[in-house]
Amino acid sequence: MSDLPRKAVTRTAKLAALPIGFAGRATWGLGKRIGGKSAEIVGRELQQRTADQLFKVLGELKGGAMKFGQAMSVFESALPEEVAGPYRAALTKLQEAAPPMPTRTVHAVLEERLGAGWQELFLEFEDKPSAAASIGQVHHAVWHDGREVAVKVQYPGAGEALLSDLGQLSRFARLLGPLVPGMDIKPLITEMRDRVTEELDYGLEAAAQRAHAEEFRDDPDVVVPDVVHQCDQVLVTEWIEGTPLSEIISDGSQEQRDRAGQLLARFLFSGPARTGLLHADPHPGNFRLLPDGAAGWRLGVLDFGTVDRLPGGLPAPIGTSLRMTLDGDASGVYELLRAEGFVKESIALEPDDVLDYLLPIIEPARVDAFTFTRSWMRGQAARIADIRSPAHQLGKQLNLPPAYLLIHRVTLSTIGVLCQLGATVRLRDELEAWMPGFTVEPDATGQETSAEA
């Protein structure tokens, strides 16, 4: 296996082949239809061929290309079932694996960063990686004090690769858009570019992981491994055993799915309230379900390379607008959305139309327990993607303020994972416990005020 392709011309050529391949397959599909095959059958074959090429290229390149693939993988629930099938297997591969670096490259990085005697820091070190991701790969090892550890080694040239890939992918955003109906791909890629520097800095990642590990130490629901050692391009953390969430999605029992879903929602909403940080990379490869005796399971959380810094927790206007929507307060919701920049001053909308747009989306918060399904997710995506629908027309007029972009992506991604799990989740419980502005409590004068978590 070759090293991470770093030369811009090499990576650009691989990525440039994607839209050319799309065009070629469209021509192939037209020929098939002329030859007598139905549009539906040809469409499925085209999707299969597109998936095979797209994710083969993304996986080989790693870098920003693979990061984009992982981000997209949590949205496969939104695809129509006849389209989702061909993508699902290819997407799942990106969640847990990628072509590894050669052993010689790994050793060279460790020698450069940990010193010539780096082997002495470990009682054991497995050369074969246990996991590979967009900017680094993980090796199972035993630290010199006997602790099992995960050693994350950054790919040489990962920074240049990330920037190059995401720059190229932004040019092809229009072609990649059909992967998830109703979602604008370009802002997603732009936001990823903006966070490249942070994710490459293992010092920032170590600080975020330490903050979570300290806060969730001895927590009955969530496990965050401690940081053991950190330096440029190398991060050593405690090893945790558990079943990857991708395996729970494919083979887990309903009890496991429901527990994983509840804990995932709990971590999403409690993390910012407890640490001032939002874990912003919620694809299934970053979570494990850990057995915990009679209590059932706990959620293991990995990879804190991408976080949103929210010192006051999640913004209270999110919880307040949710509550107002559930209460049917169309005018209140509309004015709050205008104040926060979701509706620009130059746009005039009917408050009742905005309420009608929002109500189906927040259905999981309207009931005590909600079962997230792929069909529900597909229904939401189709409602917004259908250019004939009022939801599509209204959605085009809404704005997403930059301060909310990452929160929005993380929330959508988490919902995508919940739908992949098919989990029944008491989401309202988590909102009431952790979401500022969602609950209302009487103050000293008996007037109702928003409760801050």
Side-chain angles (χ1 to χ4, degrees):
M1 186 65 62
S2 62
D3 286 337
L4 175 67
R6 274 175 283 169
K7 292 184 179 178
V9 66
T10 302
R11 303 181 67 80
T12 300
K14 283 181 176 285
L15 285 166
L18 290 177
I20 293 171
F22 292 167
R25 279 186 296 282
T27 303
W28 171 88
L30 178 61
K32 288 284 187 180
R33 289 181 65 181
I34 291 172
K37 281 198 173 184
S38 72
E40 182 180 358
I41 293 173
V42 171
R44 281 201 295 268
E45 292 177 358
L46 278 171
Q47 293 289 349
Q48 179 66 71
R49 287 168 175 249
T50 300
D52 288 346
Q53 186 202 5
L54 177 61
F55 296 107
K56 179 176 184 291
V57 171
L58 295 182
E60 286 177 351
L61 288 175
K62 301 188 179 76
M66 184 177 166
K67 174 155 289 298
F68 170 77
Q70 288 180 330
M72 295 301 296
S73 70
V74 298
F75 295 114
E76 62 90 1
S77 300
L79 294 167
E81 187 57 38
E82 66 272 15
V83 173
Y87 281 103
R88 196 167 291 146
L91 287 165
T92 301
K93 291 176 185 176
L94 283 176
Q95 294 170 350
E96 285 290 338
M101 284 192 274
T103 299
R104 67 179 184 278
T105 305
V106 176
H107 288 188
V109 173
L110 292 173
E111 182 172 341
E112 180 181 357
R113 299 304 178 185
L114 298 179
W118 67 268
Q119 292 96 334
E120 297 174 8
L121 294 172
F122 302 95
L123 298 179
E124 299 176 22
F125 185 91
E126 295 181 10
D127 286 332
K128 183 179 178 181
S130 59
S134 54
I135 67 166
Q137 64 188 39
V138 178
H139 294 258
H140 185 207
V142 178
W143 195 240
H144 57 80
D145 63 5
R147 281 183 289 177
E148 280 191 276
V149 293
V151 184
K152 190 174 180 179
V153 182
Q154 193 173 115
Y155 305 127
E160 297 93 323
L162 274 165
L163 288 169
S164 172
D165 290 353
L166 293 172
Q168 290 294 324
L169 283 167
S170 66
R171 291 172 54 198
F172 306 146
R174 182 178 58 82
L175 293 164
L176 297 169
L179 283 172
V180 179
M183 183 177 180
D184 191 351
I185 300 298
K186 200 158 190 175
L188 174 65
I189 298 173
T190 300
E191 187 257 318
M192 287 180 175
R193 279 181 60 88
D194 292 344
R195 295 188 175 269
V196 164
T197 303
E198 285 189 20
E199 186 158 0
L200 291 167
D201 188 336
Y202 280 0
L204 289 175
E205 179 173 350
Q209 184 157 341
R210 286 191 181 102
H212 280 85
E214 181 62 31
E215 175 60 37
F216 285 94
R217 197 176 310 283
D218 301 321
D219 189 272
D221 300 317
V222 175
V223 178
V224 178
D226 273 318
V227 174
V228 175
H229 181 80
Q230 179 271 318
C231 61
D232 285 350
Q233 291 187 286
V234 178
L235 176 62
V236 183
T237 64
E238 290 181 334
W239 180 270
I240 57 173
E241 287 287 352
T243 305
L245 215 56
S246 56
E247 292 184 19
I248 302 297
I249 288 171
S250 60
D251 301 313
S253 67
Q254 192 59 52
E255 184 181 4
Q256 289 175 314
R257 293 168 184 274
D258 292 345
R259 177 65 172 165
Q262 190 71 46
L263 296 184
L264 191 61
R266 185 165 301 161
F267 179 71
L268 168 67
F269 292 111
S270 70
R274 296 173 63 175
T275 67
L277 300 168
L278 173 68
H279 183 288
D281 195 9
H283 75 80
N286 286 339
F287 299 96
R288 302 285 184 270
L289 203 58
L290 282 61
D292 189 36
W297 296 274
R298 292 198 290 171
L299 185 73
V301 184
L302 310 174
D303 197 336
F304 292 82
T306 305
V307 298
D308 200 4
R309 287 164 178 80
L310 302 169
L314 290 165
I318 298 177
T320 303
S321 62
L322 272 172
R323 172 172 50 79
M324 287 179 169
T325 303
L326 291 172
D327 290 343
D329 184 359
S331 297
V333 172
Y334 183 60
E335 290 307 316
L336 182 56
L337 292 180
R338 287 186 69 87
E340 290 298 308
F342 288 92
V343 181
K344 292 184 177 179
E345 290 188 8
S346 58
I347 300 291
L349 301 172
E350 285 295 327
D352 285 338
D353 291 343
V354 174
L355 192 69
D356 290 343
Y357 175 86
L358 293 174
L359 279 171
I361 300 172
I362 67 165
E363 186 180 357
R366 301 177 70 179
V367 294
D368 289 337
F370 183 81
T371 300
F372 289 86
T373 64
R374 285 185 164 97
S375 61
W376 177 80
M377 185 80 162
R378 287 195 297 270
Q380 295 300 319
R383 183 176 71 96
I384 296 170
D386 185 352
I387 60 174
R388 299 163 298 180
S389 75
H392 177 82
Q393 298 303 321
L394 190 143
K396 287 197 305 181
Q397 299 179 78
L398 294 177
N399 177 55
L400 184 59
Y404 287 91
L405 180 60
L406 193 55
I407 296 170
H408 179 70
R409 177 165 74 82
V410 171
T411 303
L412 279 181
S413 299
T414 303
I415 290 172
V417 176
L418 295 178
C419 291
Q420 290 177 340
L421 284 164
T424 298
V425 176
R426 297 181 65 86
L427 186 66
R428 193 181 180 99
D429 287 354
E430 306 305 334
L431 294 172
E432 290 175 348
W434 304 108
M435 176 65 81
F438 185 73
T439 58
V440 174
E441 296 177 355
D443 61 18
T445 65
Q447 299 296 312
E448 289 188 343
T449 58
S450 293
E452 301 293 322

